[in-house]
Amino acid sequence: MSRTSAPNLLMVYPRFGLNSFWNYKATCELVGTRYSAAPLGLITVAAMLPRDWNIRLVDCNIVTLDEADLRWADLVLTGGMLPQQRDTLRIVARAHSNGKPVLVGGPDVTSSPDEYAVAEFRLIGEAEGIIDKFIESWRSGDSGGTFRAGEFPDITRSPIPRFDLLNLRHYMHVGVQRTRGCPFVCEFCNVIELNGRKPRSKSTAQVLRELDALYHLGYRGHVDFVDDNLIGNPVAVKPFLAELAAWLKRRRHPFEFTTEVSINLAQDDELLRLMRDANFFAVFVGIETPDKEALRLTNKKQNLRIDIRESVRRINEAGIYVNAGFIIGFDSERDSVAPAMIECIEETAIPVCMVGLLYALPQTQLSRRLLDEGRLQCDSARVASDDLTDQCTSGLNFATLRPRREILKDYRLVLDRIYGPEKYFGRAMRMSCRLDMRGHRVRVPFTRTLRDLRTVGRILWRSGVLDREARGPFWSALLGCALRNPRAIRAVVAFSALYLHYRPFSRFLDARLEAQIQSLVDSTPWH
């Protein structure tokens, strides 16, 4: 029987683990928000649905999913990334206990669809290519179905996300997206599996309309471009950045931006200038390892052709600070990698480093190779079985070539050294002192300025007074930057706010790793 009335659709964003690198709980509390990033994927899908559908959005990272919402719904839509898998399945179970059908989608469903066989409807692939088929199926009265995308869709058809469904005050930043895909073929990365090797781009006018939507809702401040690699097509991104800078000028600079890029950004002076002019203040790059052989074997060849230390310095001198990802557990690590990684982090003066254990993500070149070699020990269920895990706390889901105990010891040593207060604030000062912040500006409402001043006061009190371990290095970094590069003092304050999350997180990981090391049995290959 067909469904003629507009359904009540409950969109539920699953929570990440409380002890996650990306959780930022302490930092969010400090600045008066509830979570770091808004659920861009869900609000993009919401914009693809018929306008007469009644939609509610619940983000489980900021509020509790209420039974009343489930009773209201005719259909529950949920899904997310691998670290959200366990909570996604909880949501499915709760919906079913209320007699509600479920539609699941997102990157983890696409990578591991069998994990979600319990859901009535599944979207496999990017929603632009298949959402219409689901809508037709729902209206026809179907009780279930799996909808698989064929080719990667044309994202110029993607609508403006439903930012109006969000309480924007609850988030540290809001995301937009210009491109999907990455031209590089890193073995361990699932981006090329999920989004392809050929970067696909929205039009410049399309992206500016999205920013206009945020602007007209009254949002100001930090906007993150969630692209897999914003500069994946450097020729195409340059005119976009020029138009973005002009838009900012017309709007009197309401936003400042962050994004993810490959480190070859540093080799293009024009691109650096354009990003600076467009108010980008930070980028995330994947450095991964100082082990050249590991970079070669995992096809991270773009990092072999450049000097990492010099590249980070060049990006900093354009007024953009660098956050970086590092990985421990590559096959080429015959000896301890910890000293070289610590040295690399110190020499580049990168304060915020996401150091994780290598994890063979589903449907990647790495997982396929390890499976062929008989070394893949488990699948995504290992992450889903532990509510505390993310890419930092879970990994090595394969038989390692060097003793597992040694890898975990390396990981523990790196975390201990880089997130100790003296080293952390030392890097924060060195990076901040070489940032050229001339020309960077963002215009925010007076109420936001008051909030920021309260945040600074809390940081000064917590790190500069209460924390006996951190207060010396904190004041040294703050005063050192004030004397040498006062324009960049805001960067030191930002790094200090993040430290309130990273230091407790590193201690949590230290205890966890110590327990894992103690539990290992040397004679077992898995260990």
Side-chain angles (χ1 to χ4, degrees), residues 126 153-158 177-181 195 198-207 210 225 227 229-230 232-233 235-240:
E126 296 176 48
D154 175 7
I155 61 173
T156 61
R157 297 164 43 204
S158 191
Q177 185 181 56
R178 178 180 174 268
T179 65
R180 296 179 197 165
N195 294 329
K198 184 178 180 181
R200 291 162 290 135
S201 176
K202 296 177 181 177
S203 69
T204 296
Q206 192 177 1
V207 178
E210 294 185 15
F225 277 85
D227 299 43
N229 183 356
L230 183 71
N233 184 341
V235 174
V237 77
K238 289 179 180 181
F240 163 73

Side-chain angles (χ1 to χ4, degrees), residues 175-468:
V176 295
Q177 185 181 56
R178 178 180 174 268
T179 65
R180 296 179 197 165
C182 180
F184 301 114
V185 289
C186 307
E187 182 190 44
F188 51 84
C189 183
N190 64 353
V191 165
I192 58 175
E193 313 295 338
L194 293 170
N195 294 329
R197 281 197 61 194
K198 184 178 180 181
R200 291 162 290 135
S201 176
K202 296 177 181 177
S203 69
T204 296
Q206 192 177 1
V207 178
L208 296 184
R209 284 195 295 270
E210 294 185 15
L211 294 176
D212 272 326
L214 271 175
Y215 178 86
H216 290 304
L217 285 170
Y219 183 79
R220 301 292 185 271
H222 181 183
V223 175
D224 181 43
F225 277 85
V226 302
D227 299 43
D228 306 309
N229 183 356
L230 183 71
I231 65 166
N233 184 341
V235 174
V237 77
K238 289 179 180 181
F240 163 73
L241 291 171
E243 288 291 334
L244 178 58
W247 182 92
L248 285 168
K249 187 175 181 179
R250 290 194 301 271
R251 294 295 192 188
R252 300 180 69 188
H253 297 89
F255 304 140
E256 57 184 350
F257 302 108
T258 56
T259 193
E260 181 171 349
V261 299
S262 44
I263 193 69
N264 57 310
L265 166 66
Q267 297 175 299
D268 191 324
D269 291 338
E270 181 187 13
L271 189 52
L272 277 171
R273 178 185 59 79
L274 287 166
M275 290 194 70
R276 174 193 181 120
D277 291 347
N279 239 21
F280 280 84
F281 72 92
V283 294
F284 180 90
V285 301
I287 292 178
E288 319 308 359
T289 178
D291 186 332
K292 299 293 186 182
E293 183 65 8
L295 293 173
R296 186 183 68 80
L297 292 175
T298 59
N299 288 323
K300 189 87 179 183
K301 295 179 182 178
Q302 65 271 25
N303 283 24
L304 286 171
R305 297 188 289 266
I306 57 177
D307 183 316
I308 296 295
R309 179 179 179 180
E310 176 65 14
S311 296
V312 173
R313 183 191 64 79
R314 286 174 59 82
I315 295 172
N316 293 160
E317 290 177 349
I320 301 169
Y321 56 80
V322 174
N323 305 323
F326 290 85
I327 298 174
I328 294 176
F330 289 116
D331 283 352
S332 66
E333 295 171 5
R334 304 297 182 179
D335 299 311
S336 174
V337 73
M341 187 169 290
I342 293 167
E343 181 181 19
C344 176
I345 291 169
E346 285 298 310
E347 287 184 347
T348 54
I350 300 174
V352 176
C353 300
M354 188 198 74
V355 184
L357 294 168
L358 182 63
Y359 188 89
L361 291 165
Q363 307 301 320
T364 56
Q365 300 170 76
L366 175 62
S367 63
R368 290 190 288 268
R369 174 172 68 82
L370 293 171
L371 183 63
D372 289 343
E373 296 173 1
R375 296 169 56 199
L376 190 64
Q377 299 290 338
C378 61
D379 58 17
S380 61
R382 183 162 181 254
V383 170
S385 67
D386 189 337
D387 208 23
L388 300 174
T389 55
D390 61 9
Q391 66 270 47
C392 295
T393 54
S394 181
L396 305 183
N397 58 334
F398 56 93
T400 58
L401 293 187
R402 70 178 175 118
R404 187 182 185 88
R405 184 193 301 268
E406 298 305 314
I407 296 174
L408 295 180
K409 285 182 177 179
D410 270 353
Y411 187 30
R412 189 181 180 196
L413 178 60
V414 171
L415 291 173
D416 177 67
R417 294 291 175 84
I418 68 171
Y419 284 116
E422 184 175 350
K423 294 296 185 182
Y424 180 88
F425 284 108
R427 297 194 306 275
M429 182 183 70
R430 297 199 306 277
M431 177 171 283
S432 299
C433 284
R434 64 192 186 200
L435 291 173
D436 185 350
M437 301 302 294
R438 290 174 297 178
H440 182 88
R441 55 192 177 276
V442 58
R443 186 183 179 91
V444 297
F446 181 68
T447 53
R448 170 65 183 273
T449 301
L450 288 178
R451 191 192 81 174
D452 291 346
L453 289 173
R454 286 195 298 269
T455 299
V456 172
R458 291 168 183 160
I459 292 171
L460 294 175
W461 177 249
R462 291 183 59 175
S463 294
V465 178
L466 295 183
D467 191 334
R468 295 181 179 180

Side-chain angles (χ1 to χ4, degrees), residues 23-39:
N23 187 278
Y24 296 117
K25 185 174 184 294
T27 305
C28 288
E29 291 175 351
L30 185 80
V31 302
T33 58
R34 296 191 183 182
Y35 199 65
S36 56

